[in-house]
Amino acid sequence: MKPIITFGFLGSTLDRAQGAERWSKWRPTVAMCKQEDLLISRLELLVEPKFADLAKSVVADIAKVSPETEVVVHEFALKDPWDFQEVYERLYDFVRGYDFQPEKEDYLIHLTTGTHVAQICWFLLNEANFIPARLLQTSPSREGGRDAKASGRYEIIDIDLSKYDRLSTRFAQEQERTLDFLKSGIATKNKGFNKLIEQIELVAVNSKAPILIMGPTGAGKSMLAGRIYDLRRTRAGLSGRFVEVNCATLRGDQAMSALFGHKRGSFTGAASDRPGLLKEADKGLIFLDEIGELGLDEQAMLLRALEDKTFLPLGSDKAVQSDFQLIAGTNRDLRAQVAAGKFRDDLLARINLWTFTLPSLAERREDIAANLDFELERYAKSHRRQVRMNKEAREAFLKFAKGPESKWSANFRDLNAAVTRMATLAPKGRITVACVEAEVLRLKEAWREVGKENELGSSLYGGLDASQLDPFDRVQLEFVIKTCRESKTLSDAGRKLFTVSRMKRSKMNDADRLKKYLLRFDLSWDDVK
């Protein structure tokens, strides 16, 4: 049999006794050494310095009741024994510095003594496999003579939940509820997607590191980020806000100001101080959707904020702190962006520890039926109007939705829009086959237009996805590109485009102005020519 090594705190109240009471009163640290069928070879006793005298008394009493037990006293100073962070860090350092030899020794953790905080920390360290031990609980006996009461009783608990069927079942049920929550209650059947959600659940609860969610527009990145935040708030102690921002809407000083804040007067229009979104996400989570749209300067600032939890607002020489967690979303290939010099490789290395790629709706056609029900329910809640589909209408819609004709180019946004239109036009709150047939025609026409637009965009916009641009930008950019193609040089095109403003400011560089304008859309002169 391997020798048993036990770890435990001195019970500053329960282990205290005087005179004859030392032998008649139940004292957990002494009592566990009196058990006839539990021979403790060595007790690693953690003692706060102010209880050193009590520790000497307890050690002396253990020597009398169990001379075979060696007691090693460790001075364990704590400023506040109820401070979770301090207790956990001190115990972590102690455990990491201990020479465990599980092949030669068995280990127990005495949970009965110490504050509730200490007991929780012991449990967490054990559960995380930092200490290869079982848990020992002692308690006073309610039966027997005086000596039996003083000895009390004990119970050894193995944290391996596979040995406890009822507990194991409850934990499995809880995990199912968590996965269901991350999927918004949608009973998905796609094996790849379900496996992905299982991985995300583990990371969401056990890691604070940045998460990168990749996938096409409308695949559900924003909704998933919100669910991860809710999960961390309930299960991982996150206390701050959820802040969401689409980086594609941020340009120039606006991007710096929105993310990092600014001081009054730092640029034209800065009439007052602004804290910035990273500060608003302090002790919370920020979701930076379309992170690939951030400029290189903003990327550099974000990297420092991630690593140091500090950043400088525009116009300020005083760093601001924010302990935020990050989820980033993108529909771009960030590695290709790095190769093209449009995304920092050090930032990508920092945010892609946990990278998950969401499949498109077209890749999850077996989940369309469940998502159809979800969208109908969501419509009912938001519009306070119950709408149903008759059996024939449902079958007709799903036949089309799962078939090869359905492109679902905007993914779940297309499905949401389709349900909203059918529900709005449904006679007497019931979607009929006629409603479905009309919506199928609308979807086909919309997808044809998107196909034409993408085909036009690949030639007109130099490979830029025109569907990602506002109508205002499309018209303006189209004119700029046509002018470039009709011009011999960048400077020639600049002179044509800035005919009025260049006369007012003779020192302005037309070529440089045009070059900067094209960079707003990740385009160069070579791209548009």
Side-chain angles (χ1 to χ4, degrees):
M1 242 180 113
K2 291 187 284 189
I4 296 175
I5 315 302
T6 302
F7 299 85
F9 280 92
L10 177 72
S12 58
T13 300
L14 292 176
D15 282 328
R16 188 179 297 277
Q18 294 180 342
E21 188 183 31
R22 291 166 60 190
W23 309 111
S24 60
K25 176 186 174 183
W26 175 77
R27 292 183 293 160
T29 302
V30 177
M32 71 175 175
C33 296
K34 294 176 66 176
Q35 304 301 319
E36 294 182 1
D37 55 348
L38 178 65
L39 179 59
I40 297 175
S41 299
R42 187 169 70 249
L43 170 61
E44 306 284 359
L45 190 62
L46 279 57
V47 179
E48 290 190 65
K50 60 183 177 182
F51 300 122
D53 290 340
L54 173 60
K56 290 179 182 178
S57 174
V58 168
V59 170
D61 291 344
I62 290 175
K64 292 180 180 179
V65 299
S66 180
E68 306 90 344
T69 303
E70 175 190 4
V71 182
V72 180
V73 175
H74 300 271
E75 184 177 292
F76 201 82
L78 293 169
K79 293 180 181 178
D80 182 0
W82 295 94
D83 184 319
F84 180 87
Q85 180 170 309
E86 181 189 8
V87 176
Y88 188 90
E89 287 179 347
R90 291 281 285 110
L91 274 177
Y92 175 83
D93 291 340
F94 171 77
V95 168
R96 295 296 284 174
Y98 194 88
D99 182 22
F100 289 102
Q101 301 181 51
E103 68 282 354
K104 297 180 180 180
E105 300 172 330
D106 279 334
Y107 300 100
L108 298 175
I109 298 173
H110 188 207
L111 283 183
T112 307
T113 52
T115 64
H116 294 319
V117 171
Q119 293 166 353
I120 292 171
C121 291
W122 274 131
F123 181 87
L124 292 175
L125 286 166
N126 185 225
E127 186 182 36
N129 295 319
F130 285 118
I131 175 169
R134 293 174 295 166
L135 307 179
L136 172 66
Q137 284 185 317
T138 56
S139 58
S141 176
R142 296 190 182 123
E143 300 177 356
R146 193 173 186 181
D147 184 63
K149 290 182 180 179
S151 300
R153 52 197 177 127
Y154 73 92
E155 181 179 6
I156 293 177
I157 304 169
D158 192 335
I159 205 168
D160 182 0
L161 293 179
S162 64
K163 298 180 180 180
Y164 299 88
D165 292 338
R166 194 169 63 191
L167 283 176
S168 184
T169 300
R170 289 188 62 181
F171 273 79
Q173 291 172 343
E174 180 61 32
Q175 185 185 32
E176 281 297 319
R177 283 192 290 269
T178 301
L179 297 179
D180 187 59
F181 174 79
L182 285 175
K183 294 187 291 185
S184 302
I186 302 171
T188 56
K189 297 180 180 179
N190 184 275
K191 292 182 180 179
F193 179 75
N194 288 337
K195 185 67 176 178
L196 182 72
I197 292 297
E198 289 178 11
Q199 294 173 349
I200 290 174
E201 185 260 344
L202 290 172
V203 172
V205 174
N206 297 313
S207 175
K208 296 180 181 179
I211 294 175
L212 177 60
I213 304 177
M214 303 179 69
T217 299
K221 296 187 289 291
S222 178
M223 180 179 289
L224 180 59
R227 290 276 165 166
I228 291 174
Y229 164 75
D230 290 336
L231 187 60
R232 284 185 173 177
R233 188 180 58 181
T234 56
R235 295 268 300 276
L238 204 62
S239 60
R241 290 180 51 201
F242 176 64
V243 178
E244 180 177 356
V245 58
N246 188 332
C247 298
T249 64
L250 305 179
R251 301 287 180 187
D253 287 344
Q254 181 193 10
M256 283 288 192
S257 171
L259 291 175
F260 309 107
H262 64 246
K263 300 297 289 184
R264 178 182 177 183
S266 56
F267 59 88
T268 303
S272 60
D273 291 353
R274 180 179 183 178
L277 296 173
L278 291 189
K279 183 60 180 176
E280 291 183 19
D282 186 24
K283 302 193 183 305
L285 186 148
I286 187 167
F287 174 51
L288 296 182
D289 197 11
E290 304 305 344
I291 192 172
E293 304 298 329
L294 279 183
L296 292 173
D297 291 340
E298 289 79 28
Q299 292 176 32
M301 288 272 285
L302 177 61
L303 178 62
R304 181 192 171 185
L306 279 169
E307 292 180 340
D308 302 338
K309 300 301 181 183
T310 62
F311 52 89
L312 284 172
L314 278 176
S316 175
D317 57 2
K318 184 178 180 181
V320 172
Q321 290 187 332
S322 179
D323 185 17
F324 64 92
Q325 295 178 27
L326 172 70
I327 297 179
T330 184
N331 63 357
R332 291 181 177 269
D333 182 347
L334 293 185
R335 295 193 185 281
Q337 294 281 94
V338 169
K342 297 176 181 179
F343 201 83
R344 294 179 62 101
D345 56 349
D346 49 3
L347 178 58
L348 179 58
R350 186 69 179 82
I351 67 174
N352 78 341
L353 174 64
W354 301 112
T355 300
F356 302 101
T357 301
L358 296 185
S360 66
L361 181 58
E363 295 173 304
R364 296 173 50 199
R365 295 180 189 268
E366 64 267 52
D367 290 338
I368 291 178
N371 278 282
L372 173 62
D373 295 335
F374 173 78
E375 294 295 348
L376 285 168
E377 185 178 343
R378 184 157 68 161
Y379 178 89
K381 288 179 180 178
S382 62
H383 291 77
R384 297 182 180 179
R385 177 172 175 255
Q386 186 69 51
V387 176
R388 305 185 186 281
M389 296 183 82
N390 64 39
K391 181 181 178 181
E392 293 78 10
R394 180 182 174 84
E395 289 177 350
F397 183 82
L398 290 177
K399 181 180 179 180
F400 165 75
K402 295 179 180 181
E405 287 184 285
S406 55
K407 306 302 180 185
W408 300 117
S409 54
N411 295 291
F412 290 95
R413 291 178 185 172
D414 275 345
L415 182 60
N416 172 264
V419 170
T420 299
R421 287 190 292 261
M422 289 190 295
T424 302
L425 298 174
K428 298 182 180 180
R430 195 164 187 83
I431 298 174
T432 63
V433 172
C435 294
V436 170
E437 290 174 345
E439 181 56 32
V440 167
L441 292 176
R442 279 191 290 266
L443 286 171
K444 287 182 177 180
E445 182 60 27
W447 291 333
R448 271 195 296 268
E449 290 300 318
V450 169
K452 290 178 183 178
E453 195 173 68
N454 289 340
E455 184 178 346
L456 176 64
S458 63
S459 58
L460 180 61
Y461 296 102
L464 180 68
D465 184 0
S467 66
Q468 299 299 307
L469 299 179
D470 290 329
F472 175 84
D473 286 329
R474 290 190 207 178
V475 174
Q476 189 180 61
L477 182 59
E478 181 180 341
F479 179 78
V480 170
I481 292 176
K482 285 183 177 180
T483 302
C484 289
R485 290 176 177 174
E486 294 169 357
S487 305
K488 293 181 179 180
T489 65
L490 187 66
S491 297
D492 181 34
R495 283 191 292 271
K496 293 177 182 178
L497 290 166
F498 307 118
T499 54
V500 177
S501 58
R502 70 189 303 270
M503 298 299 293
K504 296 178 181 179
R505 299 181 183 179
S506 58
K507 293 184 179 180
M508 294 182 71
N509 187 314
D510 299 323
D512 187 56
R513 290 181 68 188
L514 177 54
K515 185 178 180 180
K516 288 181 177 178
Y517 173 82
L518 292 174
L519 279 174
R520 283 179 51 197
F521 304 98
D522 292 330
L523 293 173
S524 67
W525 173 256
D526 290 336
D527 290 332
V528 300
K529 288 292 285 183

